[in-house]
Amino acid sequence: MAKNILILNQTRMGDLVQCTPLIAGLRRKHPDAKITLAVNKTFEEFARKIPHLDELIILDITQYNDRDWKREVIWVTLAKYMKEWLDELRSRKFDMVVNLSHSFLSAYMIKYLRIPEARGFCCNEEGNRKTEHPWFQYFFTEPMNRPYNTFNLVDIFGRGGDIEPVTHGVLVRHGVEDEAAVADLIRSHRMEKDELVIGIQAGSSIADRRWPASRFSELVDRLIEARNARIVLFGVKSERELAEQIVGTSKHSDRIVNLCGQTSITQLIGMLKRCRYLVTNDTGTMHIAAALGVRIVGLFFAHAHPYETGPFSEGDLIFRANIPCAPCSYHVHCSNVICVDKVQPRHVEAMIGGHLDSGRWQVPEFMQNLPEMDLLESYFDEEGYLAYKPLIRHPINMETLFAQAYRRMWRDCLMEVRERPSRDALESIIRFLKQYYDMKTDTAFWNTVQDKRKVLEDLVRLVCDGQAVSEKLVRVYSERGFDKPRIQALGERIASIDTAIRKTGLTHPELNPLCDMFDRRKENFEGEDLLDLARRTRECYRKFEVEARSLHEIIGCLTENLGGKEVEPVQAEVSSSNMAVPGR
């Protein structure tokens, strides 16, 4: 039972909101522990709104942004400040740390702090990255395999902290002080108590993710003309120009309250609570609104991926493009962001209007056959994980099929609850796909699925071979001592197997999540005990085999039930007991 827990989150405000269920879960699991959050100075005001914390520790490197300083002085002084800050943390003698950042700097910080139990990204004595918890291993492989991920970061963070899935959503402290903080704003803009207020967050941290100002302006006019809505524009100071463009091109600027760059966190919360809906890009404001129960209409373009960072609440609506390149891979700069053109103001206004009239999201007839647009409604599945149901019925494709299969496989295998999917779980996937996707696809599609399944069988053979070779290494180290020629030959065989695995992942992206998880596990190897390394290598292959067999079985079941193919059971096709595996 942990007694002194540190949460390290130095990235964005949205990530802070998304880690609040983890913090609440750690409080439930470790009721007597002291929980400390280390956060960037930029987010200090919001961090004080996070419940279940005992202490905040602020990292303030913004104080060294003065351009009048000479560069040499800045770096020397900054290095001294960082060491003093880390020494203060190390003196607290934390027994658990959860690092929710991807950066190597955060990994080095964790290593310097010498905390016995580290969750998330850290590094070994040589400075090489390591991530030991299976769900955090998944967290750090997911960005390279985004089309096949269906887990929200809130769920990933929680599972990484060994917290059961929660459906109460993200958490932000709010109360009467928020209303008091905005009383003057409401009076000055003559906002009526019962009028329809719709918030707009037009900015985002990455410009490519933004819907154009002209689209927001047209949407604002449509909402005002159709529903007499009062529009409130939110955003930070750097987004003022964007907000002014919307106001300047609107035909009804008198119905717009422009608060961009003018609110504290408390005022932001107070004004968001006045909104019936928030139309927003993927932003921190969106996550705060989710915590307040505001109905969200999310616009996810370019790099933004709703399955990763969508609002962690039920009944919200997500617009995104249904095109092959969406979402963009990280670190990709698109010179032609066509995805923003797939969603039009009339689409957004129609969905909000329908929801106002009926209390549920209904797709009007003119939107039911838009092949390049997705509409997703959020809900919590039977196991408590956030999920999305498509409201526009598109043909099944390879990414969707494998994403749903991975969703089941990872839940079973990363939690080590079972090695084979249950019948109920398989039937649940089949029902979901039949209900929300058009299964009338051609034979070529299912033939391709079968081809991928055969590649999976080859992978199983490879990893069974790897287990056999690893077992031989264990015996050599245990029985013969240091037999250099034999060890070298076996080592070369393992290297060739690993190379073949990596090539398979690169040439078959549907299978790359398996291969990346294998690589991430092997990254954690350290030390010079050759017998221990051989045993750990064998265990990596064993886990790979379990995961590959499970995925193989799920894909086979889906093919048989959705594609009309006759599929033999996985055990009959790729059982290691009836195939030629070297060393067995």
Side-chain angles (χ1 to χ4, degrees):
M1 186 73 70
K3 295 296 183 183
N4 197 7
I5 302 173
L6 174 66
I7 311 291
L8 186 65
N9 194 331
Q10 299 286 323
T11 49
R12 295 173 291 272
M13 186 170 72
D15 291 357
L16 278 175
V17 187
Q18 289 180 292
C19 79
T20 56
L22 167 65
I23 294 170
L26 290 172
R27 172 60 69 210
R28 291 192 303 273
K29 187 171 184 177
H30 307 278
D32 299 324
K34 179 180 179 181
I35 301 179
T36 300
L37 174 66
V39 65
N40 192 294
K41 175 69 174 178
T42 307
F43 309 120
E44 178 181 4
E45 184 187 2
F46 173 75
R48 298 194 183 281
K49 292 284 188 178
I50 298 176
H52 305 296
L53 289 175
D54 295 297
E55 186 179 11
L56 279 178
I57 297 180
I58 306 302
L59 176 63
D60 184 13
I61 59 174
T62 59
Q63 62 186 298
Y64 301 107
N65 286 345
D66 188 340
R67 296 187 180 183
D68 292 333
W69 286 40
K70 292 182 180 179
R71 186 175 299 275
E72 296 83 2
V73 177
I74 292 175
W75 285 108
V76 170
T77 306
L78 178 59
K80 184 183 296 185
Y81 169 76
M82 285 294 299
K83 184 177 186 306
E84 291 173 353
W85 188 80
L86 288 170
D87 285 342
E88 171 61 23
L89 278 184
R90 191 157 73 175
S91 70
R92 306 293 184 96
K93 299 188 182 302
F94 295 103
D95 48 30
M96 177 194 289
V97 58
V98 183
N99 180 16
L100 302 178
S101 304
H102 281 85
S103 71
F104 275 103
L105 175 60
S106 68
Y108 298 144
M109 289 164 65
I110 297 302
K111 186 62 182 176
Y112 185 82
L113 294 176
R114 299 177 183 174
I115 299 173
E117 183 179 355
R119 305 282 181 104
F121 197 16
C122 52
C123 62
N124 59 23
E125 294 292 343
E126 288 74 37
N128 298 318
R129 66 185 181 186
K130 57 182 288 189
T131 316
E132 294 186 343
H133 193 282
W135 274 96
F136 277 115
Q137 289 170 348
Y138 177 82
F139 177 38
F140 293 114
T141 58
E142 178 274 323
M144 281 72 76
N145 303 285
R146 306 181 80 201
Y148 307 102
N149 171 57
T150 62
F151 294 113
N152 189 275
L153 288 188
V154 173
D155 284 321
I156 295 174
F157 290 167
R159 301 315 298 156
D162 293 329
I163 305 302
E164 292 299 319
V166 293
T167 57
H168 57 61
V170 289
L171 304 168
V172 174
R173 283 198 182 102
H174 56 91
V176 294
E177 70 277 5
D178 306 311
E179 284 81 4
V182 296
D184 290 341
L185 280 173
I186 291 171
R187 281 194 297 270
S188 65
H189 291 283
R190 298 179 182 178
M191 296 177 66
E192 300 294 333
K193 181 178 180 181
D194 297 325
E195 68 181 331
L196 171 64
V197 180
I198 298 178
I200 300 285
Q201 171 73 44
S204 67
S205 59
I206 300 177
D208 285 350
R209 292 182 180 182
R210 299 173 182 171
W211 212 31
S214 59
R215 303 284 168 78
F216 278 112
S217 182
E218 182 183 339
L219 173 63
V220 164
D221 286 343
R222 285 176 171 272
L223 292 170
I224 292 171
E225 291 167 3
R227 300 288 172 168
N228 194 33
R230 177 65 70 99
I231 306 299
V232 179
L233 302 183
F234 298 104
V236 296
K237 290 180 180 179
S238 61
E239 295 163 348
R240 280 180 178 173
E241 182 179 350
L242 181 63
E244 288 167 359
Q245 290 178 32
I246 295 171
V247 175
T249 55
S250 170
K251 295 181 289 185
H252 306 284
S253 58
D254 59 312
R255 296 290 296 169
I256 302 175
V257 178
N258 183 4
L259 298 181
C260 199
Q262 300 179 41
T263 57
S264 65
I265 292 296
T266 299
Q267 289 173 319
L268 173 63
I269 291 172
M271 291 304 295
L272 280 172
K273 288 167 68 175
R274 297 275 302 185
C275 297
R276 182 87 65 89
Y277 301 91
L278 175 70
V279 183
T280 176
N281 297 305
D282 182 11
T283 62
T285 301
M286 176 188 73
H287 295 295
I288 295 175
L292 301 173
V294 179
R295 187 63 61 228
I296 293 164
V297 178
L299 306 171
F300 278 67
F301 304 120
H303 306 84
H305 188 27
Y307 289 99
E308 293 172 349
T309 58
F312 195 76
S313 50
E314 192 164 29
D316 293 324
L317 184 70
I318 302 296
F319 283 85
R320 68 169 185 171
N322 181 45
I323 55 179
C325 59
C328 296
S329 298
Y330 285 115
H331 309 301
V332 168
H333 177 71
C334 182
S335 59
N336 184 20
V337 189
I338 61 172
C339 51
V340 299
D341 297 325
K342 307 305 177 184
V343 179
Q344 299 295 322
R346 63 194 181 105
H347 300 148
V348 181
E349 186 269 326
M351 291 303 296
I352 292 176
H355 194 273
L356 280 167
D357 293 336
S358 67
R360 60 192 181 93
W361 298 115
Q362 301 181 89
V363 183
E365 187 174 352
F366 81 94
M367 292 175 59
Q368 290 177 0
N369 295 301
L370 296 174
E372 294 187 321
M373 189 175 76
D374 259 345
L375 274 176
L376 307 173
E377 182 180 352
S378 62
Y379 71 101
F380 290 103
D381 69 15
E382 66 280 359
E383 294 176 55
Y385 291 82
L386 186 72
Y388 288 98
K389 52 186 177 185
L391 301 184
I392 296 177
R393 193 178 177 88
H394 292 304
I396 187 71
N397 59 32
M398 198 71 66
E399 290 180 355
T400 298
L401 188 76
F402 271 84
Q404 291 300 318
Y406 274 118
R407 183 176 177 86
R408 180 71 265 158
M409 185 276 286
W410 289 129
R411 279 196 282 193
D412 289 345
C413 294
L414 294 184
M415 299 303 300
E416 297 185 346
V417 293
R418 59 176 66 91
E419 292 189 356
R420 297 184 62 184
S422 67
R423 179 179 295 275
D424 287 346
L426 292 172
E427 289 176 351
S428 178
I429 302 172
I430 293 166
R431 285 195 304 271
F432 177 84
L433 292 175
K434 282 184 174 180
Q435 182 174 356
Y436 295 112
Y437 290 89
D438 180 2
M439 306 308 299
K440 296 176 183 177
T441 187
D442 56 23
T443 305
F445 172 80
W446 293 106
N447 288 339
T448 303
V449 175
Q450 287 290 70
D451 290 342
K452 299 297 179 183
R453 199 163 176 261
K454 289 182 173 65
V455 178
L456 255 178
E457 294 168 15
D458 294 337
L459 270 178
V460 171
R461 292 185 177 92
L462 274 173
V463 297
C464 287
D465 191 1
Q467 287 184 78
V469 177
S470 302
E471 180 61 36
K472 288 182 180 180
L473 270 174
V474 170
R475 289 201 299 268
V476 169
Y477 291 138
S478 300
E479 299 169 5
R480 304 179 188 173
F482 194 78
D483 185 344
K484 184 175 179 179
R486 182 65 170 156
I487 290 171
Q488 184 173 350
L490 293 172
E492 290 173 354
R493 178 58 185 152
I494 284 178
S496 69
I497 292 170
D498 289 357
T499 298
I501 288 172
R502 292 189 189 98
K503 286 181 178 179
T504 301
L506 291 173
T507 52
H508 299 276
E510 303 86 356
L511 307 181
N512 198 52
L514 286 171
C515 303
D516 277 352
M517 276 293 284
F518 174 72
D519 280 344
R520 182 49 56 96
R521 288 183 180 125
K522 294 195 80 172
E523 279 183 353
N524 292 322
F525 290 5
E526 56 184 324
E528 298 180 357
D529 186 334
L530 299 181
L531 178 58
D532 177 65
L533 291 173
R535 287 171 174 162
R536 295 187 69 177
T537 300
R538 180 180 60 188
E539 179 63 10
C540 277
Y541 287 123
R542 186 198 68 79
K543 288 183 176 179
F544 196 137
E545 181 189 0
V546 169
E547 292 161 358
R549 287 185 183 280
S550 177
L551 185 66
H552 184 277
E553 182 170 353
I554 296 169
I555 294 297
C557 178
L558 298 182
T559 303
E560 181 177 10
N561 286 275
L562 301 174
K565 296 281 186 180
E566 291 297 324
V567 178
E568 297 178 29
V570 60
Q571 292 298 104
E573 285 196 21
V574 288
S575 171
S576 59
S577 62
N578 63 17
M579 66 172 65
V581 177
R584 293 197 174 185

